[in-house]
Amino acid sequence: EIPLDFHMINATTDAVELAWTPGFNGGVEQIYRVQYFRRTPGSLYKQPNYYDVYPMNSTKVLITGLSPGGTYVFSIQSLNNLGESDYTEGIEVNTLSVQGGGSGGSNNGLTS
């Protein structure tokens, strides 16, 4: 079944940590596949990236190599020998912008 409670734990300038609760797996170990893309204002083109999460049965992942100040949409699905689930509804996350000097508060990258 589809993973539950898919959410962001933390966002930095170039990475996002995501977590979820496993759905029913039919008694078989499963892996997860994260689909994500960068939202580009004014563009309808969305070439997704995919990241397979290992080890099996993990419930969180760190996606790296993102651009500072970018808006990304993430969704996740589960896969095992019995098949694959649909992807979850996408969650939108902002990576932090690179700012010179000082440290300020942040909203941890989550947009509403």
Side-chain angles (χ1 to χ4, degrees):
E1 290 184 2
I2 194 167
L4 308 170
D5 189 31
F6 183 52
H7 63 280
M8 182 202 61
I9 296 174
N10 190 37
T12 65
T13 56
D14 65 351
V16 171
E17 187 174 15
L18 305 164
W20 59 91
T21 301
F24 178 68
N25 63 9
V28 180
E29 287 189 314
Q30 58 191 353
I31 65 165
Y32 296 93
R33 178 170 293 146
V34 176
Q35 174 182 266
Y36 64 99
F37 62 90
R38 184 171 183 181
R39 187 178 299 278
T40 306
S43 174
L44 298 177
Y45 181 70
K46 300 172 184 149
Q47 176 64 44
N49 296 295
Y50 296 93
Y51 185 90
D52 288 345
V53 181
Y54 290 98
M56 295 183 98
N57 299 317
S58 296
T59 57
K60 66 180 179 178
V61 66
L62 181 67
I63 305 291
T64 60
L66 306 177
S67 298
T71 299
Y72 291 85
V73 177
F74 296 89
S75 57
I76 191 169
Q77 73 172 165
S78 60
L79 303 98
N80 65 20
N81 292 345
L82 301 177
E84 59 189 53
S85 74
D86 290 333
Y87 280 95
T88 59
E89 187 171 327
I91 58 171
E92 192 170 281
V93 178
N94 290 329
T95 54
L96 302 180
S97 297
V98 175
Q99 298 177 355
S103 61
S106 85
N107 66 355
N108 286 332
L110 191 60
T111 63
S112 50

